[in-house]
Amino acid sequence: MKVLKSFFTVWILLWSAVATLILAVPIIVAGLLSRTGNLAFSLSKLWAYTMLGVSFVRTEIKNKEKIQPGTSYIIISNHQSLYDIIALVTTLGIQYRWFIKREVLKIPLFGYGLYASRNIFIDRSNTAKAIESINKGIDRLPRGVSIMVFAEGTRSPDGQIQEFKKGGFVTAVRRNIPILPVTVNGSRRVLPKKSLAVTPGKIQVVIGDPIDTGGYTADNVQALIDRTRAVIIANFDPGYTGNE
């Protein structure tokens, strides 16, 4: 069994490298030629679909009808696994960009592909620069494009939903952008934190009711955080296997 798992891990890593090398140039070119980054984002889905296929991982989405096409959201999701990214890219069906730590730019090809797709890179070591980069990044986004935020800040170490950081919520309040709560189930079973061993399975994405941020201010942003986190927890199923 150990040999089989090791072979499968090498298989996944090999395909990840191949897909990145093949798609990096088209994504970068698409990003440079497009003012919106939409084509580059769409091309990135090919990478995600490839990884799902070679990993024998399936996805499903519930309550997709709650997403209003053409509406910009701050999408708030829990974060269990690297496969959260793949599941979200392939199921939501809308254009969005990420808040990404600036260090990711240093990753060869991958980092520049993300930059070309108009993602928003943040210098977390400097609050003033972080706010400035967020504002500039949002200003250059095309109409109807959303922003994805993993509010826990990093993948959960134990599978439980951790406390949420304020960043995405403060942006939502300042810009009067509605929150879209999203819960990911089953991804930790596929690939837990600090592991390279992928287990074939199913990942579920559950959409909660959008939350209007018009009634919130900097003074009561914690209430918005608590409300959003409660919705995500209500849809969270830590025992999800996809077999039901």
Side-chain angles (χ1 to χ4, degrees):
M1 183 62 72
K2 272 190 174 183
V3 173
L4 183 60
K5 283 189 174 182
S6 296
F7 175 79
F8 192 56
T9 298
V10 172
W11 164 264
I12 298 299
L13 292 174
L14 177 62
W15 268 105
S16 176
V18 169
T20 300
L21 288 172
I22 292 175
L23 291 172
V25 173
I27 289 174
I28 291 171
V29 171
L32 293 174
L33 295 180
S34 170
R35 293 182 178 179
T36 65
N38 287 351
L39 178 57
F41 178 83
S42 296
L43 288 173
S44 72
K45 292 182 181 181
L46 296 177
W47 185 89
Y49 278 118
T50 298
M51 296 311 299
L52 286 178
V54 300
S55 305
F56 303 101
V57 173
R58 298 166 294 137
T59 59
E60 69 169 358
I61 184 168
K62 293 181 64 177
N63 306 330
K64 189 175 181 178
E65 69 280 358
K66 292 182 178 181
I67 302 174
Q68 296 298 316
T71 299
S72 294
Y73 296 103
I74 299 291
I75 307 169
I76 302 292
S77 173
N78 63 314
H79 197 14
Q80 301 278 304
S81 165
L82 290 175
Y83 267 73
D84 296 340
I85 298 170
I86 297 174
L88 292 166
V89 165
T90 55
T91 58
L92 292 182
I94 57 175
Q95 287 276 339
Y96 63 84
R97 306 294 184 263
W98 301 85
F99 281 166
I100 304 174
K101 58 184 180 181
R102 194 166 184 81
E103 291 83 352
V104 175
L105 276 172
K106 298 178 182 179
I107 301 176
L109 294 179
F110 183 73
Y112 197 77
L114 290 172
Y115 177 79
S117 302
R118 305 297 194 273
N119 289 287
I120 301 171
F121 291 87
I122 302 171
D123 183 356
R124 297 190 299 180
S125 65
N126 188 307
T127 301
K129 286 185 177 180
I131 294 172
E132 181 183 359
S133 61
I134 288 171
N135 289 329
K136 286 182 178 179
I138 292 177
D139 287 340
R140 71 185 186 125
L141 289 180
R143 185 182 299 274
V145 171
S146 298
I147 299 170
M148 173 69 69
V149 180
F150 288 132
E152 294 164 280
T154 186
R155 287 166 288 164
S156 171
D158 58 5
Q160 300 302 308
I161 295 179
Q162 309 299 302
E163 294 301 316
F164 285 179
K165 299 183 182 299
K166 290 185 177 181
F169 297 94
V170 171
T171 299
V173 169
R174 285 177 176 171
R175 295 273 179 159
N176 195 22
I177 303 173
I179 297 285
L180 184 70
V182 174
T183 305
V184 181
N185 294 316
S187 57
R188 189 171 187 269
R189 188 181 299 272
V190 170
L191 181 64
K193 187 176 183 178
K194 296 183 179 180
S195 174
L196 292 175
V198 175
T199 300
K202 192 173 184 179
I203 299 174
Q204 181 188 67
V205 175
V206 185
I207 309 300
D209 290 322
I211 300 173
D212 182 10
T213 59
Y216 294 92
T217 67
D219 293 330
N220 64 356
V221 70
Q222 187 60 48
L224 176 62
I225 295 172
D226 294 342
R227 179 179 174 184
T228 304
R229 188 168 180 270
V231 173
I232 292 173
I233 289 175
N235 290 324
F236 184 51
D237 180 6
Y240 177 82
T241 62
N243 295 325
E244 63 275 2

